[in-house]
Amino acid sequence: MSAQTQAASRKAQWKEGALGYLFLAPSLLVFICFLFYPMLRSIYLSMTLTDPRGRVADFVGLDNFKDLFSSGQFFTNLKVTLLFVLLTVPTTIIWSLVLAALTHNKLRGMKAFQFVFSLPIVISVGTGSIIWSLLFHPTAGMLNYFIGFIGISPISWLADPNWALVSVSLMTVWMNMGFVYIVLLSGLQGVPDDLYESAKIDGSGPVRTFLQIVLPLLSPTLFFVLIVSVIGAFQAFGQIHILTKGGPMDTTNVVVYSIYQDAFINFRFGIGSAQALVLFAIILALTVFQFKVLEKKVHYQ
Amino acid sequence: MTQSWLNKKTAIGVMLAGAMLAATACGSGGAGDAPAAADKGGSKASSSGPTKVVFWHAMGGSNTKVVDQLVSDFNASQDKIKVEAVFQGTYDDLLSKLKATMGTKEGPSLVQMYEIGTRFMIDSKTTTPMQNFIDQDKYDLSQLEPNITGYYTINGKLNSMPFNTSNPILYYNKDLFKAAGLDPEKPPKTFEELQKAADAITKTGKATGANFAIYGWFMEQFFANQGAEYVNNGNGRTSPATESLVNSEAGVKTLTWWKNMVDTKAANNLGRKTDDSKKAFSAGQVGMILESTASLKGLVDNAQGKFEVGTGFLPKPEGAKEGGVVVGGASLWIMNNRPTDEQKAAWEFIKFLTSPKEQAYWHINTGYFPITKKAYDEQSVKDNLKKFPQFQTAIDQLHQTKLNTATQGAVMGVFPEARQIVEGAIEEALNNKKSPKDALDGAAKEITNKIQQYNKTVKQ
């Protein structure tokens, strides 16, 4: 190849690259403004002390992180967060999977059930939380009214430290169910009918077919739902803000809520940013872990 | 496939976490990223037209309409000044938005701020003390209620003009009192009497005796009612507070009594929301609650046809020092980054608001106290008192309060936070995690810590 043609092809390549970046420019701009710049700014803020108006008053190096890791509060919040993830993610996925499996057939009226089970997706966190705060009301709430029929004395759903996180999780499971259900149902519908037929001919019962044929085929969908749900659960905020405000006794004070309190109520951006960065590192590590370890078990067609 | 998945998902992870960080960064922003709400706030006084005064407030629900009415009445009464009222959400939201506009050209000329934001507003050095306008105008302060202006007077200077004020009273269900063999015309006055009454109501099996929402405000009021200070240095009034006194005798006594009632089922624990407490009371499920005077109309209306509502003073322990209630609510501040003529215009609007006629209208429609003494002479106020005789209790309680540093109320920069810490301590005690003394010791230590941190970042 002569030097001339080489230069020409390099020029063409460069042109193509530039064109690519031109198309990327709008989204890059948005990313820089709303993601990269704030993130860098957060790293800076995490090393400062701010006055009550939120202005940087002092540069303190890594003191905020030291404070964070030496205070028991942060670890308590982290524990609550992990517990919340454990309470909501597996339950939501299993519950939605059961519902999807039950409603994935062509019986008459199934459409109605499918509609009902996917309904929570159109309800916003705010509205959902208000509905549940009415249900949870300790004396006038419907939940206590119903459990009264079976002889259980009323529960202070949101005011009892032993119940608060369970109650918030219950509401979260219901709220997230819509999305997970729709994804899993469409995953189930992607399983070809002839597979069911040949399984039947080979003498496999419905349970066995589901566990050994359908479930492996569904594993990419389940994996996707898992990743999204875990990240979502780590970042849950609205329902906690409306239902409990982190109380009672910090039993529902997840890390995101404590970031909100520190940064936006008390205007201590330093410690708030430090927490945000630690949470970011944790979510990143967990996501990488899930891809490295769990994805080995995923069966792609 | 696997690889691209990883990249995509990592990117989404980064994006989501980044979005969160983005939110964090925005709040601290300078002039460039002032929130959208501020756009409405930026006003330019043109030389020809009327001076525009932007008024930010936090009066939600039906009170928004009352504020709007006052504003349009004022605008109609003259043509030199035009006030524009902007509702900014809860007090906390309003404070956050205001903080974001400080140091920029955006923002309101006049702002309503809750009482516990007082120290912050002074320390922020972004306001013009009300006293300046009062002195310039030779405005007669004696026409206002001294027990209300007392709260906002620090170092002998009135920093802001009281606007909506209330205090907590005891609401009780007269029918339940009768059923329990108690005198429905004699509400309990002391902790001991209240406990006995609550016990009697619970024993009838018809309802629980009492409920107090876990609300830091009530604790503050119990302190003042026993003549005790909440923070040191004369409740933070002679010089900025450095230490919390929430674990002193008054606090321990109150929390022990409260816990005792919950333990013996004389009272129940419905959590932090005052709304839940009110709902239970209106449903006849609890005999007594503590609530702001501003809730009176709603509570009486809700009980219509079900039971009769009585009101009493906030109780205090037997033999407690003389005290009274702290005037809760909010006041109006004039921001000093606005042009002088705009600030003066805001002052004109404030004068209009404090006139007896407007105060009467305000009082009747919201349930807040009139801050002007003469408002009680207005016929409409007299008629309203006939309709809601229960309100007399609130007025008496206000007038019987002896003004001293305890009843003037505490002042500290981290008040909103301190309130939450105290609420946490009450929860710890009621749920048997700690003894009342230990819980309050912990809270006092935490609050002291926060106060000192605050003092470090604020140059006096």
Side-chain angles (χ1 to χ4, degrees):
Chain A
M1 211 181 275
S2 74
Q4 212 175 6
T5 50
Q6 215 171 18
S9 87
R10 205 177 292 151
K11 203 176 161 196
Q13 233 173 22
W14 188 87
K15 251 189 170 168
E16 212 173 83
L19 191 70
Y21 280 108
L22 188 73
F23 285 127
L24 270 179
S27 64
L28 262 183
L29 202 72
V30 170
F31 269 69
I32 288 169
C33 282
F34 295 103
L35 292 176
F36 304 141
Y37 166 70
M39 186 143 180
L40 290 176
R41 173 122 185 124
S42 240
I43 294 172
Y44 164 67
L45 278 175
S46 73
M47 291 185 272
T48 61
L49 205 62
T50 51
D51 74 359
R53 275 171 61 178
R55 293 173 304 187
V56 174
D58 213 353
F59 188 79
V60 294
L62 293 176
D63 278 7
N64 282 329
F65 292 95
K66 269 184 221 150
D67 282 354
L68 215 55
F69 291 120
S70 62
S71 83
Q73 189 60 47
F74 181 67
F75 291 102
T76 318
N77 296 348
L78 210 55
K79 224 172 75 190
V80 172
T81 313
L82 291 176
L83 207 59
F84 179 72
V85 173
L86 284 179
L87 279 172
T88 55
V89 175
T91 8
T92 311
I93 295 181
I94 293 172
W95 176 239
S96 306
L97 185 63
V98 169
L99 290 181
L102 288 177
T103 53
H104 166 58
N105 56 45
K106 298 205 170 59
L107 291 180
R108 266 174 62 114
M110 262 320 144
K111 279 272 184 286
F113 284 101
Q114 291 175 357
F115 173 73
V116 168
F117 293 149
S118 47
L119 204 57
I121 201 175
V122 299
I123 294 173
S124 71
V125 188
T127 319
S129 305
I130 297 292
I131 295 173
W132 280 81
S133 74
L134 296 176
L135 294 177
F136 280 138
H137 190 277
T139 56
M142 216 144 13
L143 289 183
N144 277 343
Y145 179 72
F146 284 128
I147 64 172
F149 282 132
I150 45 173
I152 302 173
S153 57
I155 296 169
S156 313
W157 298 97
L158 298 170
D160 183 338
N162 299 319
W163 276 101
L165 191 66
V166 177
S167 309
V168 174
S169 302
L170 194 69
M171 181 268 164
T172 310
V173 167
W174 170 83
M175 195 179 70
N176 293 346
M177 186 183 97
F179 171 73
V180 176
Y181 171 80
I182 288 178
V183 174
L184 289 179
L185 189 69
S186 67
L188 280 177
Q189 278 161 354
V191 177
D193 283 344
D194 48 327
L195 275 179
Y196 287 102
E197 264 167 43
S198 50
K200 215 173 192 175
I201 292 165
D202 288 344
S204 162
V207 174
R208 193 167 168 199
T209 310
F210 186 77
L211 290 179
Q212 295 195 330
I213 296 174
V214 179
L215 220 47
L217 287 173
L218 204 59
S219 59
T221 317
L222 280 171
F223 185 62
F224 166 75
V225 161
L226 179 72
I227 301 269
V228 172
S229 302
V230 167
I231 293 176
F234 266 103
Q235 298 179 336
F237 173 79
Q239 63 271 51
I240 289 164
H241 186 51
I242 295 173
L243 290 176
T244 63
K245 295 208 187 300
M249 283 163 36
D250 288 330
T251 45
T252 58
N253 197 354
V254 294
V255 177
V256 172
Y257 195 71
S258 129
I259 293 174
Y260 167 75
Q261 276 183 323
D262 274 326
F264 298 113
I265 297 185
N266 304 319
F267 276 70
R268 275 197 288 274
F269 289 108
I271 197 100
S273 301
Q275 289 179 76
L277 289 175
V278 173
L279 183 67
F280 168 66
I282 292 172
I283 296 180
L284 190 67
L286 250 171
T287 309
V288 170
F289 168 83
Q290 293 182 77
F291 272 103
K292 292 271 181 233
V293 178
L294 288 184
E295 209 191 16
K296 293 210 176 86
K297 301 213 188 318
V298 172
H299 173 88
Y300 290 107
Q301 254 181 313
Chain B
M1 176 74 187
T2 326
Q3 203 50 43
S4 78
W5 249 92
L6 178 61
N7 289 340
K8 223 183 273 168
K9 289 316 296 178
T10 320
I12 290 179
V14 173
M15 258 167 60
L16 289 174
M20 215 163 54
L21 294 172
T24 317
C26 278
S28 71
D33 29 323
D39 293 346
K40 281 188 202 156
S43 68
K44 302 250 160 12
S46 64
S47 51
S48 55
T51 313
K52 198 169 146 203
V53 170
V54 176
F55 170 36
W56 282 12
H57 66 89
M59 300 278 86
S62 61
N63 288 352
T64 310
K65 278 181 218 135
V66 185
V67 171
D68 288 343
Q69 187 60 47
L70 286 174
V71 167
S72 66
D73 284 353
F74 175 72
N75 288 339
S77 73
Q78 42 74 45
D79 57 1
K80 291 202 178 66
I81 302 163
K82 193 169 179 300
V83 176
E84 186 192 317
V86 187
F87 172 62
Q88 294 288 12
T90 65
Y91 286 129
D92 285 319
D93 293 342
L94 173 64
L95 178 57
S96 295
K97 286 177 188 168
L98 186 71
K99 279 180 178 181
T101 65
M102 282 180 175
T104 71
K105 286 202 182 71
E106 310 295 328
S109 7
L110 182 67
V111 66
Q112 179 195 22
M113 183 56 57
Y114 54 178
E115 80 277 47
I116 58 178
T118 303
R119 182 82 248 168
F120 167 77
M121 291 299 277
I122 296 171
D123 288 341
S124 77
K125 300 194 177 67
T126 54
T127 61
T128 308
M130 207 50 65
Q131 194 72 44
N132 293 10
F133 299 99
I134 291 168
D135 293 345
Q136 267 173 32
D137 223 8
K138 302 211 168 52
Y139 179 80
D140 180 17
L141 261 187
S142 67
Q143 56 182 300
L144 304 183
E145 290 268 3
N147 284 358
I148 295 176
T149 49
Y151 188 101
Y152 302 98
T153 306
I154 294 167
N155 297 333
K157 216 163 67 177
L158 191 65
N159 293 282
S160 55
M161 184 59 83
F163 180 48
N164 53 317
T165 55
S166 59
N167 60 45
I169 48 175
L170 178 78
Y171 290 87
Y172 65 99
N173 182 327
K174 287 192 180 174
D175 295 29
L176 282 175
F177 262 55
K178 267 180 233 155
L182 301 160
D183 183 353
E185 298 313 320
K186 257 172 102 185
K189 286 201 179 78
T190 64
F191 282 10
E192 292 76 12
E193 282 173 26
L194 193 143
Q195 185 160 4
K196 251 184 237 156
D199 218 28
I201 294 173
T202 301
K203 289 220 170 89
T204 62
K206 282 185 176 152
T208 305
N211 172 265
F212 311 145
I214 300 175
Y215 185 19
W217 188 51
F218 295 146
M219 191 51 117
E220 295 149 27
Q221 297 289 353
F222 281 131
F223 264 75
N225 215 12
Q226 301 174 47
E229 289 176 2
Y230 207 56
V231 289
N232 69 349
N233 290 339
N235 240 351
R237 282 174 182 273
T238 47
S239 64
T242 55
E243 231 176 274
S244 161
L245 302 177
V246 72
N247 57 344
S248 62
E249 198 204 333
V252 177
K253 210 184 239 172
T254 306
L255 191 51
T256 309
W257 161 72
W258 189 338
K259 180 178 163 50
N260 232 323
M261 287 210 293
V262 174
D263 286 351
T264 57
K265 302 248 178 332
N268 57 6
N269 170 11
L270 299 177
R272 290 192 188 195
K273 286 188 193 131
T274 50
D275 266 353
D276 287 348
S277 179
K278 277 193 274 190
K279 220 180 261 174
F281 180 75
S282 295
Q285 291 160 333
V286 294
M288 293 177 269
I289 59 166
L290 293 179
E291 235 326 309
S292 156
T293 48
S295 303
L296 192 137
K297 228 168 109 179
L299 285 171
V300 172
D301 284 347
N302 281 339
Q304 210 88 60
K306 283 189 280 184
F307 61 88
E308 208 182 326
V309 178
T311 53
F313 280 15
L314 187 74
K316 58 168 97 177
E318 220 152 294
K321 267 205 290 184
E322 222 171 45
V325 286
V326 184
V327 177
S331 64
L332 301 176
W333 297 78
I334 295 179
M335 306 303 291
N336 66 10
N337 64 339
R338 313 304 306 178
T340 324
D341 59 329
E342 200 178 307
Q343 291 186 38
K344 280 214 178 106
W347 165 245
E348 289 302 321
F349 177 54
I350 287 177
K351 275 199 291 188
F352 171 82
L353 287 180
T354 54
S355 69
K357 190 172 148 256
E358 303 308 320
Q359 279 298 312
Y361 177 79
W362 175 245
H363 160 70
I364 292 162
N365 288 286
T366 61
Y368 288 113
F369 286 115
I371 64 161
T372 315
K373 289 183 208 157
K374 278 210 185 99
Y376 291 109
D377 300 336
E378 297 277 324
Q379 193 52 43
S380 54
V381 172
K382 286 182 187 155
D383 292 345
N384 191 56
L385 258 177
K386 251 179 234 147
K387 214 167 123 205
F388 296 102
Q390 291 99 331
F391 206 85
Q392 193 59 47
T393 313
I395 297 167
D396 291 346
Q397 181 170 254
L398 175 74
H399 287 157
Q400 282 176 26
T401 293
K402 296 260 174 341
L403 209 56
N404 55 36
T405 46
T407 57
Q408 267 182 308
V411 185
M412 59 174 146
V414 292
F415 219 139
E417 214 178 342
R419 205 172 251 186
Q420 282 174 17
I421 293 170
V422 170
E423 286 165 5
I426 299 173
E427 284 171 346
E428 282 173 342
L430 296 188
N431 288 303
N432 294 317
K433 198 180 165 203
K434 285 184 184 167
S435 75
K437 171 89 180 119
D438 288 348
L440 290 174
D441 279 348
K445 207 178 129 207
E446 214 181 326
I447 296 171
T448 300
N449 204 344
K450 305 269 180 196
I451 294 177
Q452 282 164 0
Q453 243 180 52
Y454 174 91
N455 290 346
K456 234 192 292 178
T457 58
V458 177
K459 313 261 177 319
Q460 292 298 332

